[in-house]
Amino acid sequence: MSSHTGLRALVAPGYPLLLLCLLAAMRPDRAEGDPTDSTFTSLPVREEMMAKYSNLSLKSCNISVTEKANVSVEENIILEKPSHVELKCIYTATKDLNSMNVTWKKDDELLETTDGFNTTKTGNTLISQYRFIVFNSKQLGKYSCVFGEKELRGTFNINVPKVHGKKKSLIAYVGDSTVLKCGCQNCLPLNWTWYMGNETAQVPIDAHANEKYIINGSHANETRLKIKHLLEEDGGSYWCRATFQLGESEEQNDLVVLSFLVPLKPFLAILAEVILLVAIILLCEVYTHKKKNDPDAGKEFEQIEQLKSDDSNGIENNVPRYRKTDSADQ
């Protein structure tokens, strides 16, 4: 009887909320083990991550900074895949370094001090080291060591390999085929992708769905896009994109497609000028030849000129006589 009373007490008004809270507390957390959860920063997960990346290669780079440097000293670091990175700045000065302060920044944002930072002083040399793991694209960018109030700095530019294409525009003609090329030195991209640009966005090119395009390459570090049966609307901008474990890199190629009339226009203009000049010369020759063979035409011309001369003389003779008559009347 008492057991039934206790059960009725749990379901009585006011207790359902307590029962729901108890059930929720007993349910397992579905987010447990999710790398994006706050437990990702816990010690066990951090140790697991370090064990996962323990076999990565080490990329080390040094920069020397002096108190006479007026500009930032820069070094480029190229990474394709996750790696251990060791950045070291060596600052040499002629004065005491006890008051010298050094900080590290990423893209002008101050980095918090961790176990990866290490600074040592030896005589007039200050060595600051920053060691960390680059495992995603968000960690790419500019890392700078900044010394003292003058903010003398050395900068490390960490990026994926740069893709290179043809700098000048490629010119082709309607009906022909052309090949666009891209590549990178000493790199092995996971994938190559080609895009064609329109007024608003980049459109992926699917060579399997369109026989107009052929995508291939003789080596893994290069790609070629062959475009067949060119039309004028095929002209424009094309992008080749290389995908690496740490990010992407792309390059633009410009294609100009001309009709066959375009190169003929200067020739046609010159030809028209030649034809006009020849026509003028022929007309002059015909007129001269006709004048020589027709003497009557010459006489008629002379008679016309004589009549014009006589008419002009008559007018001049009449004018003075008219003036004399007027003076006599007066």
Side-chain angles (χ1 to χ4, degrees), residues 164-243:
H164 300 281
K166 191 173 183 179
K167 296 182 180 180
K168 295 182 179 180
S169 298
L170 182 63
I171 299 177
Y173 296 95
V174 173
D176 290 346
S177 298
T178 189
V179 177
L180 303 177
K181 301 178 183 179
C182 282
C184 56
Q185 295 181 351
N186 303 322
C187 69
L188 294 174
L190 300 177
N191 186 36
W192 286 100
T193 310
W194 282 91
Y195 297 84
M196 182 178 182
N198 56 24
E199 296 180 354
T200 57
Q202 296 179 356
V203 180
I205 296 176
D206 189 356
H208 299 286
N210 194 336
E211 296 181 354
K212 185 182 183 69
Y213 304 103
I214 298 177
I215 299 176
N216 56 25
S218 56
H219 303 284
N221 65 336
E222 69 174 19
T223 179
R224 299 184 181 188
L225 173 64
K226 183 177 181 180
I227 308 174
K228 301 183 293 183
H229 312 300
L230 286 171
L231 303 174
E232 289 191 32
E233 51 266 29
D234 291 327
S237 298
Y238 292 82
W239 281 267
C240 56
R241 182 177 300 172
T243 303

Coordinates of all heavy atoms in Angstrom, one line a residue, residues 164-243:
H164 N 50.7 28.7 -60.9 CA 51.2 29.6 -61.9 C 50.5 29.2 -63.2 O 50.4 28.0 -63.6 CB 52.7 29.5 -62.1 CG 53.4 29.9 -60.8 ND1 53.6 31.2 -60.4 CD2 54.0 29.1 -59.9 CE1 54.3 31.2 -59.3 NE2 54.6 30.0 -59.0
G165 N 50.0 30.2 -63.9 CA 49.5 30.0 -65.3 C 50.1 31.0 -66.2 O 51.2 31.6 -66.0
K166 N 49.5 31.1 -67.4 CA 50.1 32.0 -68.4 C 49.6 33.5 -68.1 O 48.5 33.7 -67.9 CB 49.6 31.6 -69.8 CG 50.3 32.4 -70.9 CD 50.0 31.8 -72.3 CE 50.8 32.5 -73.4 NZ 50.4 32.0 -74.7
K167 N 50.6 34.4 -68.0 CA 50.3 35.7 -67.6 C 49.6 36.5 -68.7 O 48.7 37.3 -68.4 CB 51.6 36.5 -67.2 CG 52.3 35.9 -65.9 CD 53.5 36.6 -65.6 CE 54.2 36.1 -64.3 NZ 55.4 36.8 -63.9
K168 N 50.1 36.3 -69.9 CA 49.4 37.0 -71.1 C 48.2 36.3 -71.6 O 48.1 35.1 -71.4 CB 50.4 37.2 -72.2 CG 51.7 38.0 -71.8 CD 52.6 38.2 -73.0 CE 53.8 39.1 -72.7 NZ 54.7 39.2 -73.9
S169 N 47.3 37.0 -72.2 CA 46.1 36.4 -72.7 C 46.4 35.5 -73.9 O 47.2 35.9 -74.7 CB 45.1 37.6 -73.1 OG 44.7 38.4 -72.1
L170 N 45.7 34.4 -73.9 CA 45.9 33.5 -75.0 C 44.9 33.8 -76.1 O 43.7 34.0 -75.9 CB 45.7 32.0 -74.5 CG 45.9 30.9 -75.5 CD1 47.3 30.9 -76.0 CD2 45.5 29.6 -74.9
I171 N 45.4 33.9 -77.4 CA 44.6 34.3 -78.5 C 44.4 33.1 -79.4 O 45.3 32.4 -79.8 CB 45.2 35.5 -79.3 CG1 45.4 36.7 -78.4 CG2 44.4 35.8 -80.5 CD1 46.1 37.9 -79.0
A172 N 43.1 32.8 -79.7 CA 42.7 31.7 -80.6 C 41.6 32.2 -81.6 O 41.1 33.3 -81.4 CB 42.3 30.5 -79.9
Y173 N 41.3 31.4 -82.6 CA 40.3 31.7 -83.6 C 39.1 30.8 -83.6 O 39.2 29.6 -83.1 CB 41.0 31.8 -85.0 CG 42.1 32.8 -85.1 CD1 43.4 32.5 -84.9 CD2 41.7 34.1 -85.4 CE1 44.4 33.5 -85.0 CE2 42.7 35.1 -85.5 CZ 44.0 34.8 -85.3 OH 45.0 35.7 -85.4
V174 N 38.0 31.3 -84.0 CA 36.8 30.5 -84.1 C 37.0 29.2 -84.9 O 37.6 29.3 -86.0 CB 35.6 31.4 -84.7 CG1 34.4 30.5 -84.9 CG2 35.3 32.6 -83.8
G175 N 36.5 28.1 -84.3 CA 36.6 26.8 -85.0 C 37.9 26.1 -84.6 O 37.9 24.8 -84.8
D176 N 38.9 26.7 -84.0 CA 40.1 26.0 -83.7 C 40.0 25.4 -82.3 O 38.9 25.5 -81.6 CB 41.3 27.0 -83.7 CG 41.7 27.4 -85.1 OD1 41.2 26.7 -86.0 OD2 42.5 28.4 -85.2
S177 N 41.0 24.8 -81.8 CA 41.1 24.3 -80.4 C 42.3 25.0 -79.7 O 43.3 25.4 -80.4 CB 41.4 22.8 -80.4 OG 40.3 22.1 -81.0
T178 N 42.2 25.1 -78.4 CA 43.3 25.7 -77.6 C 43.5 24.9 -76.3 O 42.6 24.2 -75.9 CB 43.0 27.2 -77.4 OG1 44.1 27.8 -76.8 CG2 41.8 27.3 -76.4
V179 N 44.6 25.1 -75.7 CA 44.9 24.5 -74.4 C 45.4 25.5 -73.4 O 46.3 26.3 -73.7 CB 46.0 23.4 -74.6 CG1 46.4 22.8 -73.3 CG2 45.6 22.3 -75.6
L180 N 44.7 25.5 -72.2 CA 45.1 26.3 -71.1 C 45.9 25.5 -70.1 O 45.5 24.3 -69.8 CB 43.9 27.0 -70.4 CG 43.0 27.8 -71.3 CD1 41.8 28.3 -70.5 CD2 43.8 29.0 -71.9
K181 N 47.0 26.0 -69.5 CA 47.9 25.3 -68.7 C 48.0 25.9 -67.3 O 48.0 27.2 -67.2 CB 49.2 25.1 -69.3 CG 49.2 24.4 -70.6 CD 50.6 24.3 -71.2 CE 50.7 23.6 -72.6 NZ 52.0 23.6 -73.1
C182 N 48.2 25.1 -66.3 CA 48.5 25.6 -64.9 C 49.4 24.6 -64.2 O 49.4 23.4 -64.6 CB 47.3 25.8 -64.1 SG 46.3 27.3 -64.4
G183 N 50.2 25.1 -63.3 CA 51.1 24.1 -62.6 C 51.7 24.8 -61.4 O 51.5 26.0 -61.1
C184 N 52.4 24.0 -60.6 CA 53.1 24.5 -59.4 C 54.4 23.7 -59.2 O 54.5 22.6 -59.6 CB 52.2 24.4 -58.1 SG 51.6 22.8 -57.8
Q185 N 55.4 24.4 -58.7 CA 56.7 23.7 -58.6 C 56.8 22.9 -57.3 O 56.4 23.4 -56.2 CB 57.8 24.8 -58.6 CG 57.9 25.5 -59.9 CD 59.0 26.6 -59.9 OE1 59.6 26.8 -58.8 NE2 59.3 27.1 -61.0
N186 N 57.3 21.7 -57.4 CA 57.6 20.8 -56.3 C 56.4 20.7 -55.4 O 56.4 20.8 -54.1 CB 58.8 21.4 -55.5 CG 60.0 21.5 -56.3 OD1 60.3 20.7 -57.2 ND2 60.8 22.6 -56.0
C187 N 55.2 20.4 -56.0 CA 54.0 20.2 -55.2 C 53.2 19.0 -55.8 O 53.4 18.7 -56.9 CB 53.2 21.5 -55.2 SG 52.4 21.9 -56.7
L188 N 52.3 18.5 -54.9 CA 51.5 17.4 -55.3 C 50.0 17.7 -54.8 O 49.6 17.2 -53.8 CB 52.0 16.1 -54.7 CG 53.3 15.6 -55.2 CD1 53.8 14.3 -54.5 CD2 53.3 15.2 -56.7
P189 N 49.3 18.4 -55.6 CA 47.9 18.7 -55.2 C 47.0 17.4 -55.1 O 47.3 16.5 -55.8 CB 47.4 19.6 -56.3 CG 48.6 20.1 -57.0 CD 49.6 19.0 -56.9
L190 N 46.1 17.5 -54.2 CA 45.1 16.4 -54.1 C 44.2 16.3 -55.3 O 43.7 15.3 -55.7 CB 44.3 16.5 -52.8 CG 45.1 16.5 -51.5 CD1 44.2 16.7 -50.3 CD2 45.9 15.2 -51.4
N191 N 43.9 17.5 -55.9 CA 42.9 17.6 -56.9 C 43.1 18.9 -57.7 O 43.5 19.9 -57.1 CB 41.5 17.5 -56.4 CG 40.5 17.4 -57.5 OD1 40.7 16.8 -58.5 ND2 39.3 18.1 -57.3
W192 N 42.8 18.8 -59.0 CA 42.8 20.0 -59.9 C 41.3 20.3 -60.3 O 40.6 19.3 -60.7 CB 43.7 19.9 -61.1 CG 45.1 19.9 -60.8 CD1 46.0 18.9 -60.7 CD2 45.9 21.1 -60.7 NE1 47.3 19.4 -60.5 CE2 47.2 20.7 -60.5 CE3 45.6 22.5 -60.7 CZ2 48.3 21.7 -60.3 CZ3 46.6 23.4 -60.5 CH2 48.0 23.0 -60.3
T193 N 40.9 21.5 -60.3 CA 39.6 21.9 -60.8 C 39.6 23.1 -61.7 O 40.4 24.0 -61.4 CB 38.6 22.1 -59.6 OG1 38.7 21.1 -58.7 CG2 37.2 22.3 -60.1
W194 N 38.9 23.1 -62.8 CA 38.8 24.2 -63.7 C 37.5 24.9 -63.6 O 36.4 24.3 -63.4 CB 39.0 23.8 -65.1 CG 40.5 23.6 -65.5 CD1 41.2 22.4 -65.4 CD2 41.4 24.5 -65.9 NE1 42.5 22.5 -65.8 CE2 42.7 23.9 -66.1 CE3 41.4 25.9 -66.2 CZ2 43.8 24.5 -66.6 CZ3 42.5 26.5 -66.7 CH2 43.7 25.9 -66.9
Y195 N 37.5 26.2 -63.7 CA 36.3 27.0 -63.6 C 36.3 28.1 -64.7 O 37.3 28.5 -65.2 CB 36.2 27.8 -62.3 CG 36.1 26.9 -61.1 CD1 37.2 26.4 -60.5 CD2 34.8 26.6 -60.5 CE1 37.1 25.6 -59.4 CE2 34.8 25.8 -59.4 CZ 35.9 25.3 -58.8 OH 35.8 24.5 -57.7
M196 N 35.1 28.4 -65.2 CA 34.9 29.5 -66.2 C 34.2 30.6 -65.6 O 33.2 30.4 -64.9 CB 34.2 29.0 -67.5 CG 34.0 30.0 -68.5 SD 33.2 29.4 -70.0 CE 33.3 30.9 -71.0
G197 N 34.7 31.8 -65.7 CA 34.0 32.9 -65.1 C 32.9 33.5 -65.9 O 33.1 33.6 -67.2
N198 N 31.8 33.9 -65.3 CA 30.8 34.7 -66.0 C 30.7 36.0 -65.2 O 31.6 36.4 -64.5 CB 29.5 34.0 -66.0 CG 29.0 33.5 -64.6 OD1 29.4 34.1 -63.6 ND2 28.2 32.5 -64.6
E199 N 29.6 36.7 -65.4 CA 29.5 38.1 -64.9 C 29.3 38.1 -63.4 O 29.6 39.1 -62.7 CB 28.3 38.8 -65.5 CG 28.4 39.0 -67.0 CD 27.2 39.7 -67.6 OE1 26.2 39.9 -66.8 OE2 27.3 40.1 -68.8
T200 N 28.9 37.0 -62.8 CA 28.6 36.9 -61.4 C 29.4 35.9 -60.6 O 29.7 36.2 -59.4 CB 27.1 36.6 -61.1 OG1 26.8 35.3 -61.8 CG2 26.2 37.7 -61.8
A201 N 29.8 34.8 -61.1 CA 30.5 33.8 -60.3 C 31.4 32.9 -61.2 O 31.5 33.1 -62.4 CB 29.5 32.9 -59.6
Q202 N 32.0 31.9 -60.6 CA 32.8 31.0 -61.3 C 32.0 29.7 -61.5 O 31.5 29.1 -60.5 CB 34.1 30.7 -60.5 CG 35.1 31.9 -60.4 CD 36.3 31.5 -59.6 OE1 36.5 30.4 -59.1 NE2 37.2 32.5 -59.5
V203 N 32.0 29.2 -62.7 CA 31.2 28.0 -63.0 C 32.1 26.8 -63.2 O 33.0 26.9 -64.0 CB 30.3 28.2 -64.2 CG1 29.5 27.0 -64.5 CG2 29.4 29.4 -64.1
P204 N 32.0 25.7 -62.4 CA 32.8 24.5 -62.6 C 32.7 23.9 -64.0 O 31.6 23.9 -64.5 CB 32.4 23.6 -61.5 CG 31.6 24.4 -60.5 CD 31.0 25.5 -61.3
I205 N 33.8 23.5 -64.5 CA 33.8 22.8 -65.9 C 33.8 21.3 -65.7 O 34.7 20.8 -65.0 CB 35.0 23.3 -66.7 CG1 34.9 24.8 -67.0 CG2 35.0 22.5 -68.0 CD1 36.1 25.3 -67.7
D206 N 32.8 20.7 -66.2 CA 32.6 19.2 -66.1 C 33.0 18.6 -67.4 O 32.2 18.6 -68.4 CB 31.2 18.8 -65.7 CG 31.1 17.3 -65.3 OD1 32.1 16.6 -65.5 OD2 30.0 16.9 -64.9
A207 N 34.2 18.1 -67.5 CA 34.7 17.5 -68.8 C 34.0 16.2 -69.1 O 33.9 15.8 -70.3 CB 36.2 17.3 -68.7
H208 N 33.4 15.5 -68.1 CA 32.7 14.3 -68.4 C 31.3 14.5 -69.0 O 30.9 13.7 -69.8 CB 32.6 13.5 -67.1 CG 33.9 13.1 -66.5 ND1 34.7 12.1 -67.0 CD2 34.5 13.6 -65.4 CE1 35.8 12.0 -66.2 NE2 35.7 12.9 -65.2
A209 N 30.7 15.6 -68.6 CA 29.4 15.9 -69.2 C 29.4 16.7 -70.5 O 28.4 16.8 -71.2 CB 28.6 16.7 -68.1
N210 N 30.5 17.3 -70.8 CA 30.6 18.1 -72.0 C 31.8 17.7 -72.8 O 33.0 17.8 -72.3 CB 30.7 19.6 -71.6 CG 30.4 20.5 -72.8 OD1 30.6 20.2 -73.9 ND2 30.0 21.8 -72.5
E211 N 31.6 17.2 -74.0 CA 32.7 16.8 -74.8 C 33.5 17.9 -75.4 O 34.6 17.7 -76.0 CB 32.1 15.9 -76.0 CG 31.4 14.7 -75.6 CD 30.9 13.9 -76.8 OE1 31.0 14.4 -77.9 OE2 30.4 12.7 -76.5
K212 N 33.1 19.1 -75.2 CA 33.9 20.3 -75.7 C 35.2 20.4 -74.9 O 36.1 21.0 -75.4 CB 33.0 21.5 -75.5 CG 33.6 22.8 -76.1 CD 32.7 24.0 -75.8 CE 33.2 25.2 -76.5 NZ 33.2 25.2 -78.0
Y213 N 35.2 19.9 -73.6 CA 36.4 20.1 -72.8 C 37.1 18.8 -72.5 O 36.4 17.7 -72.4 CB 35.9 20.7 -71.4 CG 35.2 22.0 -71.6 CD1 33.8 22.1 -71.5 CD2 35.8 23.2 -71.9 CE1 33.1 23.3 -71.6 CE2 35.2 24.4 -72.0 CZ 33.8 24.4 -71.9 OH 33.1 25.6 -72.0
I214 N 38.4 18.9 -72.4 CA 39.2 17.7 -72.0 C 40.2 18.2 -70.9 O 40.9 19.2 -71.2 CB 40.0 17.1 -73.2 CG1 39.0 16.6 -74.2 CG2 40.9 16.0 -72.7 CD1 39.7 16.1 -75.5
I215 N 40.2 17.6 -69.8 CA 41.1 18.0 -68.7 C 42.1 16.8 -68.4 O 41.7 15.7 -68.2 CB 40.3 18.3 -67.4 CG1 39.3 19.5 -67.6 CG2 41.3 18.6 -66.2 CD1 38.5 19.8 -66.4
N216 N 43.3 17.1 -68.5 CA 44.4 16.1 -68.3 C 45.7 16.8 -67.9 O 45.7 18.0 -67.8 CB 44.6 15.2 -69.5 CG 44.9 16.0 -70.7 OD1 45.4 17.1 -70.7 ND2 44.6 15.4 -71.9
G217 N 46.7 16.0 -67.7 CA 48.0 16.5 -67.3 C 49.0 15.4 -67.3 O 48.7 14.3 -66.9
S218 N 50.2 15.7 -67.8 CA 51.2 14.6 -67.9 C 51.9 14.4 -66.5 O 52.5 13.4 -66.3 CB 52.3 15.0 -68.9 OG 52.8 16.3 -68.6
H219 N 51.8 15.4 -65.6 CA 52.3 15.2 -64.3 C 51.3 15.6 -63.2 O 50.4 16.4 -63.5 CB 53.6 16.0 -64.1 CG 54.7 15.7 -65.1 ND1 55.4 14.6 -65.1 CD2 55.1 16.3 -66.3 CE1 56.3 14.5 -66.1 NE2 56.1 15.6 -66.8
A220 N 51.5 15.2 -62.0 CA 50.6 15.5 -60.9 C 50.6 17.0 -60.5 O 49.6 17.5 -60.0 CB 50.9 14.7 -59.7
N221 N 51.7 17.7 -60.8 CA 51.8 19.1 -60.4 C 51.4 20.0 -61.6 O 51.7 21.2 -61.5 CB 53.2 19.4 -60.0 CG 54.2 19.3 -61.1 OD1 54.0 18.6 -62.1 ND2 55.3 20.0 -61.0
E222 N 50.7 19.5 -62.6 CA 50.2 20.4 -63.6 C 48.8 19.9 -64.1 O 48.5 18.7 -63.9 CB 51.2 20.4 -64.8 CG 51.3 19.1 -65.6 CD 52.2 19.3 -66.8 OE1 53.0 20.2 -66.9 OE2 52.1 18.4 -67.7
T223 N 48.1 20.8 -64.8 CA 46.8 20.5 -65.4 C 46.7 21.2 -66.7 O 47.2 22.3 -66.8 CB 45.7 20.8 -64.4 OG1 44.4 20.5 -65.0 CG2 45.7 22.3 -64.0
R224 N 45.9 20.6 -67.6 CA 45.6 21.2 -68.9 C 44.2 21.1 -69.2 O 43.5 20.1 -69.0 CB 46.4 20.5 -70.0 CG 47.9 20.6 -69.8 CD 48.7 20.0 -70.9 NE 50.1 20.0 -70.7 CZ 51.0 19.6 -71.7 NH1 50.6 19.2 -72.9 NH2 52.3 19.7 -71.4
L225 N 43.6 22.2 -69.7 CA 42.2 22.3 -70.2 C 42.2 22.5 -71.7 O 42.7 23.6 -72.1 CB 41.5 23.4 -69.4 CG 40.1 23.7 -69.9 CD1 39.2 22.5 -69.7 CD2 39.5 24.9 -69.3
K226 N 41.7 21.5 -72.4 CA 41.6 21.7 -73.9 C 40.2 22.0 -74.2 O 39.3 21.3 -73.8 CB 42.1 20.4 -74.6 CG 42.0 20.5 -76.1 CD 42.5 19.2 -76.7 CE 42.5 19.3 -78.3 NZ 43.0 18.1 -78.9
I227 N 40.0 23.1 -75.0 CA 38.7 23.5 -75.4 C 38.6 23.4 -77.0 O 39.4 23.9 -77.7 CB 38.5 25.0 -75.1 CG1 38.8 25.2 -73.6 CG2 37.0 25.4 -75.4 CD1 38.7 26.7 -73.2
K228 N 37.7 22.6 -77.4 CA 37.5 22.3 -78.9 C 36.4 23.1 -79.5 O 35.5 23.5 -78.8 CB 37.3 20.8 -79.0 CG 38.4 19.9 -78.5 CD 38.1 18.4 -78.8 CE 36.9 17.9 -78.0 NZ 36.6 16.5 -78.2
H229 N 36.5 23.2 -80.8 CA 35.4 23.9 -81.6 C 35.1 25.3 -81.0 O 34.0 25.5 -80.5 CB 34.2 23.1 -81.7 CG 34.5 21.6 -82.1 ND1 35.1 21.3 -83.2 CD2 34.3 20.5 -81.4 CE1 35.2 20.0 -83.3 NE2 34.7 19.4 -82.2
L230 N 36.1 26.1 -80.9 CA 35.9 27.4 -80.2 C 34.9 28.3 -80.9 O 34.8 28.3 -82.1 CB 37.3 28.2 -80.2 CG 38.3 27.6 -79.2 CD1 39.7 28.3 -79.5 CD2 37.9 27.9 -77.8
L231 N 34.1 29.0 -80.0 CA 33.2 30.0 -80.4 C 33.6 31.3 -79.8 O 34.4 31.3 -78.8 CB 31.8 29.6 -80.0 CG 31.2 28.3 -80.5 CD1 29.9 28.0 -79.9 CD2 31.1 28.3 -82.0
E232 N 33.1 32.4 -80.3 CA 33.4 33.7 -79.7 C 33.0 33.8 -78.3 O 33.7 34.5 -77.5 CB 32.8 34.9 -80.6 CG 33.4 35.0 -81.9 CD 33.0 36.3 -82.6 OE1 32.7 37.3 -81.9 OE2 32.9 36.3 -83.8
E233 N 31.9 33.2 -77.9 CA 31.5 33.3 -76.5 C 32.3 32.4 -75.6 O 32.1 32.5 -74.3 CB 30.0 32.8 -76.4 CG 29.7 31.5 -77.0 CD 29.2 31.6 -78.5 OE1 29.5 32.6 -79.1 OE2 28.4 30.8 -78.9
D234 N 33.2 31.6 -76.1 CA 34.1 30.9 -75.2 C 35.3 31.7 -74.7 O 36.0 31.3 -73.8 CB 34.8 29.7 -76.0 CG 33.8 28.6 -76.3 OD1 32.8 28.4 -75.5 OD2 33.9 28.0 -77.4
G235 N 35.4 32.9 -75.2 CA 36.4 33.8 -74.7 C 36.0 34.3 -73.3 O 34.9 34.4 -73.0
G236 N 37.0 34.6 -72.5 CA 36.8 35.1 -71.1 C 37.9 34.6 -70.2 O 39.0 34.3 -70.6
S237 N 37.5 34.6 -68.9 CA 38.5 34.2 -67.8 C 38.2 32.8 -67.4 O 37.1 32.4 -67.2 CB 38.3 35.2 -66.6 OG 38.6 36.5 -67.0
Y238 N 39.3 32.1 -67.2 CA 39.3 30.7 -66.7 C 40.2 30.6 -65.5 O 41.3 31.2 -65.4 CB 39.7 29.7 -67.8 CG 38.8 29.5 -68.9 CD1 38.8 30.5 -70.0 CD2 37.9 28.5 -69.0 CE1 37.9 30.4 -71.1 CE2 37.0 28.4 -70.1 CZ 37.0 29.3 -71.1 OH 36.2 29.2 -72.2
W239 N 39.8 29.8 -64.5 CA 40.6 29.6 -63.3 C 40.9 28.2 -63.1 O 40.0 27.3 -63.2 CB 39.8 30.1 -62.0 CG 39.8 31.6 -61.8 CD1 40.7 32.3 -61.1 CD2 38.8 32.5 -62.4 NE1 40.3 33.7 -61.2 CE2 39.2 33.8 -61.9 CE3 37.7 32.4 -63.2 CZ2 38.5 35.0 -62.3 CZ3 37.0 33.5 -63.6 CH2 37.4 34.8 -63.1
C240 N 42.2 27.9 -62.8 CA 42.6 26.6 -62.4 C 42.8 26.6 -60.9 O 43.4 27.5 -60.3 CB 43.8 26.1 -63.1 SG 45.2 27.3 -62.9
R241 N 42.3 25.6 -60.2 CA 42.4 25.6 -58.7 C 43.0 24.3 -58.2 O 42.5 23.2 -58.6 CB 41.0 25.8 -58.1 CG 41.0 25.8 -56.6 CD 39.6 26.1 -56.0 NE 39.1 27.3 -56.5 CZ 37.8 27.7 -56.4 NH1 36.9 26.9 -55.7 NH2 37.4 28.9 -56.8
A242 N 44.0 24.4 -57.4 CA 44.7 23.2 -56.8 C 44.2 23.1 -55.4 O 44.2 24.0 -54.6 CB 46.2 23.3 -56.9
T243 N 43.9 21.9 -55.0 CA 43.4 21.6 -53.6 C 44.5 20.8 -52.9 O 45.0 19.8 -53.3 CB 42.1 20.8 -53.6 OG1 41.1 21.5 -54.4 CG2 41.6 20.6 -52.2

